[in-house]
Amino acid sequence: MLCCGFCCGNMSKRDYKVATTDGIELEPLGGEKCDKDKDKEKQTNGVTFGGESSGGRQTRTGVAVCSQRRALLVAGIVLGSLLLTAIIIAYAGPQNENNTQPFNPIATNGEPFPWLEKTLPTSARPMRYMVTIHPNLTTLDVKGQVTIDLFIEKETNFIVLHIQDLNVTEKALVTPGPKGYALKIVKVLEFPPRQQLYIELKEKLKKKSNYTLNLRWYSKLNPEPEGFYVDQYENFNGRERLLAATVFRPNGARRAFPCFDEPHVRAPFRISVFRDRFHIGLSNSIVHTTEDVGFYMGTGLLRDDFIETPPLPADAVAWVVSDFQRESLQPSAAYIPTTAAPATATGNKKPTQLNNYTQLKNKNPPVRNITALTHSLNVNLTPLHNTSSPSTTILPSIINGNGKPSNLTSLSQSTGSSIKRAPSYTFYAPRDLLPRSSFILHTSRDVLEYLQTWLDISYPLTKVDFVALPSLDRNLISSLGLVTLKTSFLTDPMSITSEQYQFSALRIAEAMVRQFFGGITSRKVLKDVWLWEGLIQYLGIHALAPLQSSWPLREMYLLKMATAALDIDAIQGWDSIMNGTRHDGKNEEFFVQKTAAIFSMLHTAIGEDRFRGCLGSFLKLNRFKTAEPTDLWTICTKKANGSKNIKDMMTLWTHQPGFPLLTVNKMGNSISISQRPFRPAEFLAIHDDSYDGNNYNRSTVNATDVPSTVAPTPASKHKSAPHHKWIFPVTYVTDINNVSETLWMQNVDVTFNVPENVKWIKVNAIQNGYYRVIYNDDNWAGLIEELATNPKRFTSEDRLGLLSDAFTLCHANLLPCEITMNMIQYLPSETNYGPMALALRHLEKWRRILKYSECFLMLSEFIKMKISTVMEKVGWTDEGDVAKRLMRPEVLLASVLWEDIDSITKAKNMLNQFLYYNGSAIAPNLREVVYTGSILSGEYIYWQHCWERFVNLQRTSETFVERMQLLRALGRTKDAWLQNRLLSHVTMLPTEEVVQVLKAIAGTPTGGAMACRFLQAKWFELEKRLGPGTLSFAKVISAITQYGATKFDYDELKSLVHRFGRGQGMSVLNMTLSSVASNVEWVARSQTSLYKWVESNLHSHR
C-alpha cells in the first residue's frame, strides 16, 4: 500500500490538522516551547536533553588538581560508609515483614513517573473512541490517530492511559462545546514497564464534565502475531502477498492504539481504516461509508468508515486489511436476514449516536460504496445459492445428526423466543481456500442461531466475518462480529481423523458462544477468565449436541474434560479455582476443565429451563457491560426461587480445593451416602525401600475411614482454610428404576430407603456431578454382574463413569485392584466410543507404569485376549457410523501397543502395500496404528519411511496431527540405536514435539533410562533454549519422568526438582512428583494382587 495525504504529500501539515481535528491544532510531543526555547535548540543543533530542558552542559576551563593525601582520605570515607551501610543492612533487619522497597518508577526521559499503581486511575472514563489507522504495506509503517471522548468522574489535572511500542507525535485535550479550546499540556511521560502514558495539564479537569483527547502516533507493523501485525501468504499465482491484521491478547490493544486497556472499561468504537483500491477493510461492524481520499504516485487511496460498535473492551476491537476473496452465507429459512444499514440510512432506524456520525460524514459525501468497489475488483460478494463451480468442494455442513436442517422454528416455539432475525456469515481467505469455507459457515450459522433462540437473546450485529490468517498462533480468536482463524485450521475433512473433525466443529461452536459470553457481556477483571472459558467450553458442547445427535459429544466431554479434571484434581497440591487462577488470566487448562464440569453440575441442580433462563438473564442484565462470577450466582439463586442456595453452592466449589468422595453403603433396602474430601491412601513406599505393600489393610478401602495422604509436594502458598462440606445435587438410578432420582448433599449425610428387591444403586447418574463414588463390596458386585450380563442397562455415560471411578480409586489405593479387573471383564461387549476409550487409556497408563514389574507379561496376555474380541467386531476398514470410526483407532492402537503379533503384522502389511504395491492410501483414522505397528515390527525401512515423512511434513503447517502421530510412532521403536538417533534431533524441535518424542521413548522398556540420561546430558542446552524455570522446560522433564514407578525414580525426580529451581514450571514438577509418588505406592500395594488375579483368570477366560 502506498502512502497518502494522511501522512505526507498532498496536504500541508497545518491543512491536515485542521481537516482532522476540526480546527484544533495538536501540540508536538514534549509540551509547549516558547521562542526562547526554540532559539536554544538552534544553538545546540536542535538536540535537547532531559525532557523540557534545552540547556546544554557548561564547559569548564582549567584542570582540577587533588593531592594524594586528600584522595586517600576521600577513599577511606567512602569505603567506611559502605562498610557501615552493609553492617546496618545485615543486622538491623526489617521491622515489619510487609515493608517493601518504595516504588519509584522512572519515565523514558529520566523524570520520575508520577502514577505508581498498576491499574489506571478512575478519575477519567472513555465514553467513545474514534480510531483512524493507516497501514502502509509497502514500508510496513503505521500512522494513526485516536480521539477519545472522556467523562471526568472526579476532578483531576492528569490522565493516564495505556500505550506500548507506539511513538506519540502530537496530542491535544479539548474542552467540550462548539467553542472548545485546547488545554495546555505541561508534561507527557511514558513508563514502558507498565505500558502507561501520563499526560499532565496546567488546568484541572472539572468533575462530571466531558473532554476530548486527541493523540497521533506512528509505529511499525509487528512481524509476530501480536498487536497490529503484518502477515504474508502465497496467492493462486504463487506470488507472496501481504496483509495487516490485529491479534489482541488480553490487555493487548495498547500495542495497536493508545487506550484505556483494562477489561472493565467498555466503550463504543468508530473505526476508520485507510487502504488502496486493491484491498478490503474489515472490522467488528459493517462499513458505513467508503471515501476517496485522493491519489499519491498514481495510486488511489480509500478510507473505510465503519459503523459505531456497541460498547466493547479495547482488546475486543479488531480490523484487517487484505486482498482476500470471500464466500457468504445467509441466515437459515427460520430467520429473516438482518439488513445492513446503508450509508444513507438515517432517521428512526439508527440511534442518535449514528445520526451524529452520519451528519459529520455528510460534509464529504462518499465517492463510492464498498459493494461497487469490490465488484470493480471482480470479487465475489454475492451469497451462495446451492451452486458451485466444478472445482468447488462443499464440505459437510453442521446441521444435525440426520444431515437435515435443524428445526429452529420448533425450538423457538418451545422456548417462547420472539427472535426473527439473524446475521449473515462471510468467510474471507485466499481464493484457493474458499472451497473449505462451507464447514465453518454452516457450523457457525447453526450454532449461533441455536444459541440466540435458546438464550432468547438476539445477536447484536448484522454480520459475522471469518478471516483466515496464515501465521496466527491460535486456532481461533473470536471478537464480536469478526473471528480470525489460523489457515491450517482449514483442513480438508477427508485428510483428518474423525476426532479431529469433531474437535474443529467444537472450536467453531465455542467461537460462537464467545460472541455472547465475551462479546455481549465480558469479565470485569482478567482473573475471572476461568468463568468465561469454562462456560464457553461447556456451552460449546451443549449447543452442538442437539445439532449433531449422532456424534458422541457427551462422551467426548466426559473423556476430555470432566474425568480428565477429576484425575488431575486427585493429585494433591492443586489449589481452589479462586486461589489457583492467576490475575493475568493465564491459567492452567485444568481450571477451565473443572469450571466446565461445575457448570454441568449447576445445570443439573437447577434444571434445563432455569439454567437457560439464568444465562439469558445474565446477558440481558449485563448487556454490553462487565460482570463477575457472583453476578451469575445471584441470578441463579433467584431463578431457583430460594429452594436452593446456588450462590453458596458455587462459592464453595470455586473457593475450596479438591472435590468430594461419596461413600455409598447399601445395607438391605437402606442407602447411606456420606462425603469427604478425596485423598489417596498414605504414601509409604517412597519413604521405605523395603516396603512391599503387604501391610495394606483392605478393610479400610470401602469403609468410611480412609487414611489421609502425606503429600510429597510443598504446601500451598495460601493458608489452609477450614474445610466445609460441599453443596451439590446427587443423582442415582437402580436396577429397577432407570429414571434418575435427585437428592441434595449439604452439611449432613443422607440416608434413605429403596425397595427391598433393589440389587444395586448407581450414584452420579449420567455423570453430571464433579465427584467420585465408592461403594461397599456387595454393591460393587451387583454393578459388575449387571455390566457382564446386560451392559446396555447403563447409559454409555454411566458405564464411562463406573470405569473412571474404578480405575482412579484403584490407583489411589482406595479400591482393591481385583474389583477394577472384574469390571473390565465386560469390555468385549462394549460398543460405545467413550467407555472403551477411557478403559484403554487407563490400561495404557498401567502398561507404562508396570513395564518392569513381574506381573506385566501375564497382564499383557490378558489385555490382548480381551482386545482381540473387540478387534474382530471393529475390523481394519475405516467405515461405519461415527462412534465406530472413533472407537476403531482406539482399539487397534491398544492392540499394537500391547504388542499383539497379528495386529503388528496387519499394520506392517498395510504400509507395505501402500509403499510398494500401489495400495490404497491409509485412512487418517488408521495412520497412527499403521505407523506404530510397522515400527514395532522391528524393520528399519518402516522407521526410515516415517522419519522421512515427518521431515517432509515439517514444511507445512496443516499437518500438525499427523506430525504428532509420526513422532509418537518413531519414539515407540524397541531399537535403542534408533531411539538414540531420534533423541539427537530433539533439541531442534518445538517444545510440543519434544514432549511427544520424550514421552513416547520413556514409555518403552529400553527408552526410560535412555531418556533420563539424555535429560541429564542436555540439561544446560535445554535450559538455555527453553528458559530456566519455565513451563516448557518443566513439561519436558515431566514427559520423561511422569510414569516412574520405583522409589529410585521418585528420588531421581526429586533431585531434578531441586536442580530446576524456581519459576512458573515448579508447579508442574510438584504435580509430577506427587503423581510418581502415587505410582510408586500403587505398584507396591497392587502388583502382587494383580499377579494373582491375572494368574487365576487368564486361562479361565480364554
Side-chain angles (χ1 to χ4, degrees), residues 910-983:
M910 290 179 69
L911 184 57
N912 191 61
Q913 287 289 327
F914 172 69
L915 291 178
Y916 304 111
Y917 298 100
N918 296 321
S920 58
I922 300 169
N925 284 329
L926 302 180
R927 280 188 192 135
E928 187 167 7
V929 177
V930 172
Y931 292 151
T932 302
S934 300
I935 288 174
L936 286 176
S937 71
E939 297 186 32
Y940 172 77
I941 56 172
Y942 300 119
W943 193 97
Q944 185 62 27
H945 165 75
C946 290
W947 172 251
E948 291 172 356
R949 172 74 174 163
F950 170 76
V951 172
N952 291 332
L953 292 181
Q954 279 187 299
R955 304 190 185 102
T956 62
S957 59
E958 299 183 7
T959 55
F960 175 78
V961 171
E962 188 176 356
R963 292 204 313 273
M964 296 300 104
Q965 292 173 341
L966 285 164
L967 285 174
R968 288 192 293 268
L970 289 165
R972 287 164 179 158
T973 178
K974 295 183 288 185
D975 190 315
W977 182 83
L978 289 175
Q979 287 180 332
N980 190 59
R981 177 183 168 188
L982 184 60
L983 284 172

Side-chain angles (χ1 to χ4, degrees), residues 715-791:
S716 171
K717 62 183 178 180
H718 302 279
K719 294 182 179 179
S720 59
H723 173 76
H724 299 280
K725 289 191 175 183
W726 286 275
I727 302 173
F728 57 99
V730 173
T731 55
Y732 67 91
V733 293
T734 65
D735 58 309
I736 64 171
N737 182 16
N738 58 2
V739 177
S740 65
E741 302 285 344
T742 303
L743 52 89
W744 279 78
M745 295 294 295
Q746 299 194 50
N747 295 326
V748 296
D749 298 341
V750 175
T751 302
F752 59 97
N753 293 327
V754 293
E756 290 284 352
N757 58 342
V758 167
K759 297 179 181 178
W760 52 260
I761 180 174
K762 197 279 175 184
V763 175
N764 199 7
I766 319 297
Q767 296 301 122
N768 285 316
Y770 188 75
Y771 51 84
R772 293 287 184 195
V773 185
I774 190 169
Y775 305 93
N776 60 331
D777 287 338
D778 289 343
N779 201 75
W780 277 120
L783 292 168
I784 292 169
E785 182 182 357
E786 193 74 46
L787 277 173
T789 57
N790 184 21

Side-chain angles (χ1 to χ4, degrees), residues 690-880:
S690 62
Y691 178 75
D692 61 0
N694 290 329
N695 61 342
Y696 175 44
N697 184 6
R698 284 193 189 178
S699 63
T700 63
V701 294
N702 289 319
T704 58
D705 299 324
V706 178
S708 61
T709 300
V710 181
T713 56
S716 171
K717 62 183 178 180
H718 302 279
K719 294 182 179 179
S720 59
H723 173 76
H724 299 280
K725 289 191 175 183
W726 286 275
I727 302 173
F728 57 99
V730 173
T731 55
Y732 67 91
V733 293
T734 65
D735 58 309
I736 64 171
N737 182 16
N738 58 2
V739 177
S740 65
E741 302 285 344
T742 303
L743 52 89
W744 279 78
M745 295 294 295
Q746 299 194 50
N747 295 326
V748 296
D749 298 341
V750 175
T751 302
F752 59 97
N753 293 327
V754 293
E756 290 284 352
N757 58 342
V758 167
K759 297 179 181 178
W760 52 260
I761 180 174
K762 197 279 175 184
V763 175
N764 199 7
I766 319 297
Q767 296 301 122
N768 285 316
Y770 188 75
Y771 51 84
R772 293 287 184 195
V773 185
I774 190 169
Y775 305 93
N776 60 331
D777 287 338
D778 289 343
N779 201 75
W780 277 120
L783 292 168
I784 292 169
E785 182 182 357
E786 193 74 46
L787 277 173
T789 57
N790 184 21
K792 293 296 183 181
R793 180 67 180 77
F794 303 95
T795 64
S796 60
E797 295 91 340
D798 281 335
R799 297 197 300 276
L800 188 151
L802 285 170
L803 289 166
S804 180
D805 283 345
F807 274 106
T808 300
L809 292 169
C810 176
H811 196 75
N813 296 301
L814 303 178
L815 185 71
C817 62
E818 292 90 343
I819 291 180
T820 305
M821 295 301 295
N822 286 328
M823 183 170 289
I824 65 173
Q825 294 272 39
Y826 96 96
L827 281 180
S829 303
E830 183 58 71
T831 58
N832 285 76
Y833 157 72
M836 180 63 73
L838 183 131
L840 293 177
R841 292 177 189 185
H842 274 285
L843 290 173
E844 170 61 12
K845 180 180 177 181
W846 282 19
R847 187 187 70 83
R848 290 168 173 265
I849 294 172
L850 296 170
K851 60 180 179 285
Y852 300 123
S853 68
E854 61 178 327
C855 68
F856 179 76
L857 291 178
M858 293 185 66
L859 177 65
S860 177
E861 289 299 316
F862 175 79
I863 300 301
K864 286 187 287 186
M865 181 187 67
K866 291 296 179 184
I867 294 177
S868 63
T869 307
V870 186
M871 280 179 21
E872 293 175 2
K873 296 178 180 179
V874 299
W876 283 79
T877 306
D878 188 32
E879 59 185 12

Side-chain angles (χ1 to χ4, degrees), residues 950 954 963-964 967 989-998:
F950 170 76
Q954 279 187 299
R963 292 204 313 273
M964 296 300 104
L967 285 174
L989 299 175
T991 303
E992 195 163 3
E993 295 182 1
V994 173
V995 169
Q996 294 291 332
V997 171
L998 295 177

